[in-house]
Amino acid sequence: MDWQAWHDEYDDPGSRLARRLRVVQQRIRLALYACPPGPLRLVSLCAGQGRDLLEVLDGHPRRDDVLARLVELDPGNTAKAEEKAGAAGLVQVEVITADASLTDHYQGMVPADIVLACGVFGNIAGEDVERTIATFAQLCRAGGTVVWTRHRRPPDLVPQICRWFEERGFHLEWLSEPDAGYGVGAHRFTGTPQPLVTGERMFTFVGYDLLGNG
């Protein structure tokens, strides 16, 4: 899979990915407004080119409050993210080329006010989705928000994802309609943050094309 070319669909305003992106960006905007005053931290797993966050921060009233770390394995995509962040003057956004599944890469940035897991759950096995959600208690502060995506094609894992979040102390704030053509969710952490355990792998990124589930 060419993950740089995959992003090209975002440039078509009517495409499914572009419509999903607009929804994700709106949830990020609302999550930023909901954060308490003062500095806040944000981490993004498998951040790609960072379009979801960077296009929101550019012009958002909270932009200078946000210390962010975007973790993405593809160097071409991280280069584009760094270019976008630099062009917008977002000097407090750190982009690193690394395996986003490893907890080590979030040291010093967690517990975060906002955790982005967009483009993750549709590319990993179901048991890894559950394991990743369980690890979010180490990444998210009490009252923080996780924004995530997952397709709704069979097998539709979204209802189970919501149950996994609930079982681990996350309250559903918002979920896209089943017939939207995509799945976007936002969960608020009402539990107690857990210390970050380094050296752990949350998931193995397989890719939706190899998983065979759309």
Side-chain angles (χ1 to χ4, degrees):
M1 171 66 67
D2 183 341
W3 291 107
Q4 295 178 56
W6 181 88
H7 284 73
D8 292 344
E9 190 177 338
Y10 284 126
D11 296 324
D12 177 3
S15 71
R16 176 186 58 85
L17 281 182
R19 290 185 286 112
R20 189 187 78 174
L21 177 61
R22 291 192 291 270
V23 173
V24 168
Q25 290 175 335
Q26 178 63 6
R27 302 321 304 179
I28 296 173
R29 287 189 187 94
L30 293 173
L32 287 170
Y33 282 123
C35 288
L40 60 97
R41 292 182 290 192
L42 182 153
V43 294
S44 179
L45 290 66
C46 300
Q49 297 175 4
R51 298 190 187 200
D52 48 7
L53 175 64
L54 298 176
E55 293 177 9
V56 169
L57 286 183
D58 188 11
H60 195 283
R62 299 297 306 271
R63 59 169 282 159
D64 294 331
D65 294 334
V66 180
L67 179 65
R69 179 177 296 165
L70 280 59
V71 186
E72 164 62 37
L73 188 60
D74 186 286
N77 284 330
T78 55
K80 289 182 180 296
E82 289 176 332
E83 181 181 359
K84 288 177 179 291
L90 296 169
V91 296
Q92 76 280 23
V93 174
E94 177 189 17
V95 182
I96 65 173
T97 304
D99 185 346
S101 72
L102 301 178
T103 56
D104 303 59
H105 300 309
Y106 305 96
Q107 291 186 79
M109 285 293 292
V110 297
D113 296 86
I114 299 174
V115 176
L116 303 182
C118 301
V120 180
F121 292 164
N123 291 287
I124 63 179
E127 57 267 27
D128 279 0
V129 175
E130 183 178 12
R131 182 182 301 109
T132 301
I133 292 172
T135 309
F136 284 161
Q138 300 176 31
L139 303 186
C140 196
R141 72 162 180 84
T145 300
V146 178
V147 179
W148 55 273
T149 64
R150 163 79 186 201
H151 63 77
R152 300 302 302 258
R153 296 184 294 276
D156 184 2
L157 196 64
V158 167
Q160 181 61 60
I161 288 173
C162 290
R163 286 191 289 270
W164 284 330
F165 269 110
E166 182 179 358
E167 291 166 359
R168 288 158 178 85
F170 288 84
H171 171 74
L172 178 62
E173 292 282 285
W174 187 86
L175 183 67
S176 58
E177 295 295 329
D179 60 353
Y182 48 77
V184 178
H187 275 81
R188 180 170 54 86
F189 187 39
T190 59
T192 302
Q194 302 299 311
L196 181 69
V197 179
T198 57
E200 296 291 320
R201 178 179 294 277
M202 292 180 277
F203 56 84
T204 298
F205 192 97
V206 180
Y208 68 90
D209 53 330
L210 296 180
L211 284 172
N213 61 6

